[in-house]
Amino acid sequence: MTNNSSARESMLTAMFGLSGRAAIVTGASSGLGLGFARTLAGAGATVYAAARRLDRLHALGDEVPGIVPVQCDITDDSDRKALVDECYNRSGRLDILVNNAGKPGPPQAEQETAEGFNSILEVNLVAGFHLATYAAGRLAEGEQASYINISSVIGLVSTAPIGGASYAASKAGTLGLTRELAGQWGRRGIRVNAVVPGWFDTEMTDGLFSNDKSAGWVRRNTMLGRGGTDGEINGAVLFLASDASIYMTGQTLVVDGGWTAR
């Protein structure tokens, strides 16, 4: 290895490396959260992978060094507190929080019930807020952290007939929450940013890409002419988690193949 290539590698490691850091990723048992957990662990972080399906988390931990499985129902406030406590008790720190867990609601507004609407907001918006406040409350003076909220293109634009009122409200609320927390916590050393995924083939979008009509709708309305594939959003989360984005806060990073730029 030449001196120049060694220097470049050292520079990239300094920018994107997460060695010695601790992260929480919610909704880590499948879909985008699974990829986020793998990516952060691959960059050197100890990742507390949280979800309800513990068997899947253990399988991930067996596959990827640096993964700590934590069974957690993020709608349960005691579970949320216990998740943050677990990270601090084992690692003594929490540098990165990825609020990824979420669930969809019914596509038609008339199908929404008051209970169902509140349930979607609890998972997609309220839980992430409380996790962030618990994490911020444990951060010592002089320490820095990066909190990343996963929103959706449905929080930016209408995607009717796919989407849903409760889901859109929760994901738009996530963007507003991101800006407000960034403003309140910036001088404490806490950066808060959001990632907005477009259409990715995950459990959340089950059936979207297997149906010719809906898959064609995605292709026609996405500038790159296709949906996102496994791993294509992970770099955005690594960027925001690492020192490569050290001067960014309150921002929304859209990874949608050009869907919202039309």
Side-chain angles (χ1 to χ4, degrees), residues 25-28 30 32-34 36 98-102 148 150 171 204:
V25 178
T26 65
S30 65
L32 299 183
L34 183 66
F36 300 154
V98 183
N99 282 316
N100 166 75
I148 303 164
I150 308 302
K171 293 304 183 178
M204 184 77 75

Side-chain angles (χ1 to χ4, degrees), residues 104-112 117 120-121 154 161-172:
Q108 301 301 320
E110 294 86 348
Q111 298 172 327
E112 300 270 12
F117 195 97
I120 297 298
L121 263 64
I154 299 172
I162 296 174
S166 57
Y167 191 77
S170 68
K171 293 304 183 178

Side-chain angles (χ1 to χ4, degrees), residues 49-261:
R52 290 176 297 177
R53 295 177 290 191
L54 189 59
D55 57 333
R56 293 195 179 192
L57 298 178
H58 280 304
L60 176 61
D62 291 340
E63 175 192 346
V64 181
I67 296 288
V68 179
V70 182
Q71 189 170 38
C72 177
D73 178 356
I74 62 164
T75 65
D76 185 322
D77 196 52
S78 62
D79 272 18
R80 295 190 289 247
K81 291 177 180 176
L83 175 59
V84 173
D85 288 342
E86 177 80 359
C87 183
Y88 268 96
N89 290 341
R90 295 185 61 156
S91 291
R93 59 192 296 157
L94 174 52
D95 306 278
I96 302 155
L97 170 64
V98 183
N99 282 316
N100 166 75
K103 69 177 183 178
Q108 301 301 320
E110 294 86 348
Q111 298 172 327
E112 300 270 12
T113 65
E115 181 181 3
F117 195 97
N118 290 339
S119 173
I120 297 298
L121 263 64
E122 179 70 27
V123 174
N124 296 355
L125 179 61
V126 175
F129 166 70
H130 288 298
L131 274 172
T133 58
Y134 296 149
R138 296 289 296 270
L139 196 72
E141 186 176 353
E143 293 180 336
Q144 296 188 341
S146 174
Y147 300 164
I148 303 164
N149 297 320
I150 308 302
S151 183
S152 167
V153 290
I154 299 172
L156 288 174
V157 296
S158 172
T159 60
I162 296 174
S166 57
Y167 191 77
S170 68
K171 293 304 183 178
T174 295
L175 299 178
L177 179 65
T178 296
R179 291 189 295 269
E180 180 60 24
L181 294 183
Q184 290 195 24
W185 294 343
R187 284 177 170 77
R188 292 180 53 190
I190 302 173
R191 298 187 296 113
V192 188
N193 293 288
V195 173
V196 173
W199 301 108
F200 285 79
D201 191 0
T202 67
E203 285 186 9
M204 184 77 75
T205 57
D206 183 39
L208 180 67
F209 291 94
S210 60
N211 179 281
D212 289 341
K213 183 177 180 180
S214 57
W217 175 72
V218 171
R219 290 193 297 271
R220 288 191 306 274
N221 291 285
T222 304
M223 287 182 176
L224 294 184
R226 61 178 179 83
T229 60
D230 186 39
E232 290 185 326
I233 196 170
N234 296 342
V237 170
L238 176 58
F239 170 65
L240 292 176
S242 71
D243 289 348
S245 61
I246 197 68
Y247 197 54
M248 283 182 64
T249 197
Q251 302 304 306
T252 297
L253 187 54
V254 182
V255 187
D256 68 351
W259 177 276
T260 56

